[in-house]
Amino acid sequence: MITFIVSIIILIIGYFTYGKFIEKLFGVKEQRPTPAYAKKDDVDYVPMGTWKNSMIQLLNIAGVGPIFGPIMGALYGPVAFLWIVLGSIFAGAVHDYLTGMISIRNGGAHLPQLAGRFLGKTMKHVVNAFSVLLLLLVGTVFVTAPAALIADLTPAWISLGVIIGAIFVYYIAATLLPVDKIIGKVYPLFGALLLISAVGIGGGLIVTGADIPEITLANLHPDQIPIFPLLFLTISCGALSGFHATQSPIISRTTKNEKNGRKIFYGMMILEAIIAMIWAAAAMSIFPAGELNSILAESGPAGVVSEVSMLMLGSIGGTLAILGVIVLPITSGDTSFRSARMIIADYINVKQLKITNRLWIALPLFVVSIALTQIDFNILWRYFSWANQSTAMIALWVGAMYLGLQRKPHWVATLPAIFMTMVTFTYILNAPIGFGLPMNLSYMGAGLVTAAAIVAFAYTLRKRLAGGVEIEVDEKVPAAS
């Protein structure tokens, strides 16, 4: 219990200390017009208040990631707490803040445009493909996961297919309509439900004196699956997630003032980490590792969510908690498709004022997603995990290059970028969904790729700085070639 409480306190302190340091390092310009005003179109560029933006950002980035991921990560034991706390403060929240703020400084640009601008034109195409793939996987996972939870709460005559269809109908509306018509109106209410759910479970753990294990670096996974790199892909949302880099630009287009960025981007990542801590602690305290493994194998993370909620809060409170969990994936799935629509539109330079333009871009995405729902959830999650953290790695390199070109200490992004480069390449070289190499060869291969990335970053940064860079006006920073 001490580890759990101290971890929550450290996360909060991290927001007020390291978060403030990152904000100061970035250099907020309160008088600078944001894209919400400079490019206002009443569709995607719409000025909205900080509270509303914060709740939308939290629901956008959260998904089932800070619940399902920590539940599966709980199999490793309390070492998972370390990754949630340190990963969130020094990597995840930095990733989210830099992505959102750099997007604001570049007209609300999405990650592919930012990658092309700061890492080179080739990376724009690579990241565009990665981002759309990731968003499709997220959208699909976030259809099947809430549908399964809803099915447990509804009469048997309502089939899973009907529930999935209803979720898709909502997703289509949220993808096509202006951001303030559905998302801006219902998300604050959904946010309240989410927070009530998290407070209920977290408060229950403290009041009942739950036997939450104390910190240890030992690997307690029943199958002894290695901590590196698997833990850092299993727990992504709640620590560090590339999916957030696809969501922050949505809010960069609705933020009124740069001074709000720390609350919206850094702060909501910290709040997501607290949610992740609560569910990881609940899974560890209620189920022994062997029993947790069996439940996950039989009914997946959704089964754990249901059992924890009902056991700790009773039938009424448990149902409300489950509804709070259901809200998470639905409110990330809709913005996944919205982000994909915006990224494709930006890539092919199609204005989104006309709903017909939004429609012909969005509909093929839903067709592909419906087909993907036929694939096993566990397989989708593995591909999602790798694509997700690879996107985070790229976004961190973008942030590092941006800070470097501003002649500011870029290590705040470079160090987590180096770490995630090693993680993602070790995984894909070793995993059955990748190259299936032995772990020792995977370590060596990933080490070589990471070293090459460091050299390429240093060379490109030095070359561009030597060529002369306008460091005050961000729009005049030359694009990489």
Side-chain angles (χ1 to χ4, degrees), residues 49-283:
T50 304
W51 165 250
K52 184 175 287 188
N53 274 330
S54 297
M55 281 296 96
I56 294 174
Q57 174 73 359
L58 176 62
L59 289 166
N60 284 359
I61 66 176
V64 290
I67 297 176
F68 282 20
I71 285 173
M72 292 187 286
L75 291 170
Y76 291 92
V79 68
F81 294 153
L82 275 179
W83 170 231
I84 292 172
V85 173
L86 299 179
S88 171
I89 293 172
F90 297 107
V94 174
H95 166 282
D96 290 12
Y97 182 81
L98 290 179
T99 303
M101 295 302 292
I102 295 171
S103 176
I104 287 176
R105 290 282 176 89
N106 287 269
H110 275 274
L111 185 59
Q113 282 73 30
L114 298 178
R117 186 178 185 83
F118 296 104
L119 299 182
K121 294 179 182 178
T122 300
M123 287 302 297
K124 175 181 178 179
H125 307 302
V126 172
V127 176
N128 192 79
F130 246 99
S131 298
V132 173
L133 170 64
L134 173 62
L135 290 166
L136 273 173
L137 289 173
V138 169
T140 304
V141 168
F142 292 172
V143 168
T144 56
L149 288 168
I150 293 172
D152 290 337
L153 300 176
T154 53
W157 58 268
I158 301 178
S159 69
L160 185 63
V162 170
I163 297 171
I164 289 175
I167 293 174
F168 268 120
V169 169
Y170 165 73
Y171 281 0
I172 291 171
T175 300
L176 297 179
L177 294 178
V179 68
D180 60 335
K181 298 305 180 187
I182 292 182
I183 292 174
K185 293 185 183 303
V186 303
Y187 270 37
L189 301 176
F190 285 166
L193 183 59
L194 162 64
L195 294 177
I196 290 170
S197 170
V199 169
I201 298 296
L205 291 173
I206 295 173
V207 170
T208 60
D211 186 20
I212 303 171
E214 304 300 344
I215 194 66
T216 174
L217 297 180
N219 183 359
L220 303 182
H221 198 292
D223 300 326
Q224 283 299 294
I225 296 175
I227 290 175
F228 188 93
L230 272 301
L231 175 63
F232 307 101
L233 284 102
T234 302
I235 302 179
S236 51
C237 293
L240 168 66
S241 172
F243 172 63
H244 299 187
T246 68
Q247 300 302 291
S248 293
I250 294 178
I251 305 304
S252 78
R253 300 182 180 196
T254 61
T255 301
K256 290 183 175 181
N257 195 297
E258 287 191 4
K259 69 180 180 180
N260 302 326
R262 182 162 66 98
K263 294 178 183 176
I264 296 170
F265 301 118
Y266 198 101
M268 292 306 102
M269 178 63 234
I270 294 297
L271 186 52
E272 185 190 60
I274 293 173
I275 294 171
M277 281 292 304
I278 289 170
W279 282 98

Side-chain angles (χ1 to χ4, degrees), residues 411-452:
W411 58 266
V412 297
T414 306
L415 292 180
I418 291 171
F419 179 74
M420 290 312 300
T421 302
M422 187 69 186
V423 166
T424 53
F425 278 95
T426 300
Y427 176 78
I428 201 62
L429 289 173
N430 174 254
I433 67 168
F435 294 90
L437 297 177
M439 186 58 80
N440 59 342
L441 291 179
S442 299
Y443 286 144
M444 289 189 288
L448 290 173
V449 173
T450 303

Side-chain angles (χ1 to χ4, degrees), residues 16-26 262 409 411-412:
F16 288 104
T17 55
Y18 199 67
K20 186 67 175 178
F21 167 73
I22 295 297
E23 179 185 54
K24 185 176 180 180
L25 181 103
F26 184 84
R262 182 162 66 98
W411 58 266
V412 297

Side-chain angles (χ1 to χ4, degrees), residues 330-352:
I330 290 179
T331 53
S332 290
D334 56 7
T335 51
S336 295
F337 290 109
R338 188 178 188 90
S339 292
R341 188 258 299 168
M342 292 161 69
I343 287 172
I344 293 172
D346 288 349
Y347 186 72
I348 60 179
N349 196 27
V350 174
K351 300 295 183 183
Q352 295 294 279

